[in-house]
Every structure is written in C-alpha cells, then in structure tokens.
C-alpha cells in the first residue's frame, strides 16, 4: 500500500484549520483535520448533483448554471458533458489554492473543463454572487462545505439558513432549481426549503453514484415555481 503524501496546504478564508491536499499514487484527497472533504476515488454523488439538475433543464436552450464550490471538478465536468453549446456555467470557488490545484497537481481530473468557453471561474464567495443576482440563473448547484451542516466555515450557514434560501429563490428564474449536495442527511432542511417557497425533493444516493454498498449521500432538488 502506497503511503499518503502531503502535496500542499491552503488557508480557508475566515476558517480555522487549513485544507490539506493529499496524494497516494493517482488518488487525491482533500482533508480538513481528520475529515475527508472530497476524494478522487468516490465522486459519483458529485456527478449526480450535475446530471440530476441538468436533466430538469433539458428544455432550456441557453441555461445559465451557478456552481458553488469547484472542489475536484467532478460536478463541473459532469455538467459540461450533458449541457449544450449555448449553456453558461459560472463556478465560484472561495479558496484560491483549490483553483490552482485543479490547474496543477490535479489537472488530470479537471481535463479541459476549466478552459471550456462555456465556463467562467470566479475566485470568491458564492454567497455574494447569489445575493447580487435577480433571476439570473436557471440552476444553482451547491457543493459547499459538507452540506447544510458545514465543517469548514460558520459563514457557510448563510447559504442554508432562511435568508440564504430566500436569496437563492430570488437569484433563480421561474422554474429554476437549487440543488444541494450533502454528505449527511438533515431532516430539517427540506422543510426549510419549502418554507422559502421551493418545491423540494430529497434524493439519497450512494457515494459511488451507483447501487450497492458504501456511504450514502443526499441531494436536495428545490424548484422555484413558474409563477
């Protein structure tokens, strides 16, 4: 068994412990303390965040997606595979080093996605993009922290509290959707989405994105009504 190697560390703005990029052979892991935030070995549910969302946008010829959190790029790559040439994807990543890792040591995972003409990479907090928007997006996909019960920054709660959900509702076009990935269930989140005006669906999915055993993640699909 190959040992894990520390490739780099990165401070999280407003956070405590640094992120650590680890590598073992061709496998990558991003950790915060003892918690693994993401792994290149298990990414099916991150891909499902994109494919489940894009399937609901298939009748929109020029959709504009906002992805909160670049991570290892699996959600972005999955979205680009199914979106048409007229789509636009804005990606907000808070930690500059994560973008540098995607272009550097993890470039084999990112492929050409960061250079795709449909993609606009923004260094900064996705909260600011959401609160500034008024019907700008057809979908907002959030893979920030570990879901509504975050680990890295207390300020991430602003995405998932009632005022944050109302801001997301306002940022979406009628019929648009908010999709949220989480490593853990949260019985209080779907009711919170509905209270904010969304029609909410909770989907449990294996970390692999397939059936069988292993960790089970959660994706909420919340749709803004058309009127």
């Amino acid at each position: 068994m190959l040992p894990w190697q520390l490739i780099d560390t990165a401070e999280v703005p407003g956070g405590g412990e640094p992120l650590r990029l680890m590598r073992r052979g061709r496998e990558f892991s991003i950790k915060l303390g003892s918690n693994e935030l993401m792994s290149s070995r298990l990414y099916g549910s991150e891909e499902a965040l994109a494919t489940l969302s894009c399937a609901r946008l298939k009748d929109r010829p020029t959709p504009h997606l906002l992805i909160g959190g670049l991570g290892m790029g699996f959600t972005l790559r999955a979205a680009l595979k199914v979106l048409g040439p007229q789509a636009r994807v804005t990606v907000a990543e808070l930690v500059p080093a994560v973008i540098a890792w995607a272009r550097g040591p993890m470039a084999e995972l990112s492929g050409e996605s960061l250079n795709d003409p449909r993609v606009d990479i923004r260094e900064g907090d996705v909260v600011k993009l959401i609160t500034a928007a008024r019907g700008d997006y057809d979908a907002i996909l959030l893979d920030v922290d570990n879901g509504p019960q975050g680990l890295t920054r207390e300020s991430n709660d602003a995405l998932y509290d009632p005022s944050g959900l109302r801001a997301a509702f306002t940022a979406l076009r009628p019929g648009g959707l908010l999709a949220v990935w989480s490593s853990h269930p949260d019985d209080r989140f779907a009711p919170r989405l509905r209270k904010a005006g969304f029609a909410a669906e909770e989907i449990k999915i294996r970390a692999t994105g397939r059936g069988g055993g292993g960790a089970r993640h959660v994706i909420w699909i919340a749709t803004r009504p058309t009127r």
Side-chain angles (χ1 to χ4, degrees):
M1 178 70 71
L2 292 172
W4 283 102
Q5 294 180 316
L6 176 64
I7 303 301
D8 197 11
T9 62
E11 297 297 324
V12 179
E17 292 187 76
L19 297 180
R20 292 176 291 134
L21 176 63
M22 311 292 293
R23 180 169 61 196
R24 182 173 63 186
R26 298 188 67 180
E27 180 182 352
F28 291 92
S29 173
I30 295 179
K31 295 186 175 182
L32 177 76
S34 60
N35 294 295
E36 183 174 67
L37 298 183
M38 57 200 82
S39 167
S40 64
R41 182 173 52 87
L42 293 173
Y43 54 85
S45 61
E46 285 86 351
E47 290 184 331
L49 178 65
T51 55
L52 290 170
S53 300
C54 291
R56 290 161 169 78
L57 302 175
K58 61 184 179 180
D59 295 329
R60 301 194 178 204
T62 59
H64 186 187
L65 279 67
L66 172 62
I67 296 178
L70 173 62
M72 292 186 174
F74 294 116
T75 298
L76 173 61
R77 288 184 64 178
L80 293 175
K81 285 181 181 178
V82 295
L83 290 171
Q86 302 305 315
R88 290 186 295 149
V89 183
T90 300
V91 182
E93 173 54 56
L94 180 69
V95 183
V98 171
I99 301 174
W101 295 343
R103 297 189 185 278
M106 295 194 299
E108 63 185 89
L109 302 181
S110 301
E112 295 300 316
S113 61
L114 301 188
N115 299 319
D116 191 298
R118 296 171 292 177
V119 175
D120 178 19
I121 304 292
R122 304 279 189 92
E123 180 185 309
D125 196 334
V126 69
V127 171
K128 294 182 179 179
L129 292 181
I130 292 173
T131 55
R134 298 292 183 273
D136 294 348
Y137 303 110
D138 295 282
I140 299 172
L141 281 56
L142 295 180
D143 183 0
V144 175
D145 214 322
N146 262 16
Q149 299 178 11
L151 292 172
T152 61
R153 301 171 76 231
E154 289 186 6
S155 58
N156 283 337
D157 293 342
L159 283 168
Y160 307 116
D161 65 17
S163 62
L165 296 179
R166 286 193 296 270
F169 187 95
T170 301
L172 289 166
R173 294 167 181 157
L177 61 91
L178 170 68
V180 177
W181 180 95
S182 178
S183 60
H184 301 288
D186 185 337
D187 293 338
R188 298 171 296 178
F189 192 56
R192 201 184 309 158
L193 288 166
R194 296 184 182 107
K195 191 171 182 179
F198 291 103
E201 176 186 2
E202 181 177 306
I203 302 169
K204 293 182 173 65
I205 188 165
R206 296 293 181 187
T208 60
R210 302 182 295 274
R216 189 184 290 270
H217 296 160
V218 181
I219 295 172
W220 289 275
I221 303 288
T223 305
R224 173 176 174 165
T226 55
R227 61 176 66 183

